[in-house]
Amino acid sequence: INAEYMGKINKIQCAVNSHAIEESKLNIEKALLIIEKIVGKQHKYYGDCLASLGYGHFVNSDYDQASECFKQCKNIFEGVYGLEHIALAETYHYLGLCFYQSKIKEASIEYLSMAFQERKRVYGEKDQRTQSVSYTHLRAHETGRNLVCRLLLEKKKKSKSSFF
């Protein structure tokens, strides 16, 4: 794929990422045809373009279309990269979110777990997106800027009570 085609594809992906899916759908389909003609449907560029289309459908709440795009991406990326690549983790992540939004709990949990495991495999323990958090931290709620978790709230309450 030469620079001219890549420039067109990048413009299309930018349009999708800026939520202009309706205006860019025809162009995305043209880009997919160009990529298919030049390198085939099993190439990473084809998968990348499908992922952009899927993301566009996702942000426009069309979860069925988004999941179809991401399923195709999954198959392409597994063939191109094998089973260990960040593109797969992101694809699993969006599949999980699509299923979550569509109220398909089991599939959502399965794909989000796969995304988590893939990120751990690719990035190891240093990846902050996959760090474990205690349930106590997730139950936090107070609107003040500095109070972001239940533990801080409890600490604040204890410090106030120690002055009286």
Side-chain angles (χ1 to χ4, degrees):
I1 294 180
N2 67 28
E4 177 187 352
Y5 287 121
M6 284 309 296
K8 288 179 182 178
I9 291 166
N10 286 336
K11 285 180 185 176
I12 292 166
Q13 289 173 340
C14 289
V16 170
N17 291 337
S18 67
H19 311 286
I21 186 75
E22 296 305 320
E23 296 82 17
S24 61
K25 186 176 179 182
L26 181 61
N27 290 328
I28 292 168
E29 290 169 357
K30 286 180 184 177
L32 287 169
L33 289 173
I34 291 168
I35 295 168
E36 179 183 357
K37 188 175 186 177
I38 296 172
V39 293
K41 283 186 171 183
Q42 297 304 311
H43 197 275
K44 67 178 186 171
Y45 292 150
Y46 196 86
D48 289 340
C49 198
L50 274 174
S52 293
L53 182 59
Y55 176 75
H57 286 302
F58 181 82
V59 298
N60 283 294
S61 303
D62 188 351
Y63 305 116
D64 292 336
Q65 286 293 321
S67 64
E68 287 305 312
C69 290
F70 289 120
K71 285 177 190 176
Q72 290 180 49
C73 291
K74 173 187 162 300
N75 294 334
I76 293 168
F77 291 153
E78 285 175 348
V80 171
Y81 300 118
L83 295 177
E84 292 187 19
H85 196 273
I86 192 59
L88 275 171
E90 296 302 318
T91 303
Y92 295 154
H93 176 81
Y94 276 105
L95 274 168
L97 293 178
C98 288
F99 288 125
Y100 175 80
Q101 293 296 336
S102 299
K103 310 284 190 246
I104 305 172
K105 183 179 178 182
E106 293 79 18
S108 174
I109 291 169
E110 178 185 352
Y111 278 107
L112 290 172
S113 296
M114 289 168 64
F116 176 81
Q117 293 302 321
E118 190 61 26
R119 288 192 67 81
K120 284 288 240 193
R121 197 174 10 258
V122 171
Y123 290 118
E125 296 297 322
K126 63 185 176 209
D127 182 22
Q128 291 187 359
R129 289 192 204 181
T130 59
Q131 295 296 318
S132 297
V133 201
S134 74
Y135 178 71
T136 306
H137 285 89
L138 295 175
R139 292 184 53 207
H141 296 65
E142 185 168 307
T143 55
R145 270 190 294 202
N146 299 322
L147 302 175
V148 293
C149 77
R150 187 173 182 84
L151 294 177
L152 286 176
L153 291 172
E154 290 172 8
K155 184 177 177 181
K156 180 183 177 190
K157 289 176 186 175
K158 283 182 185 178
S159 67
K160 281 185 178 179
S161 64
S162 65
F163 289 114
F164 296 106

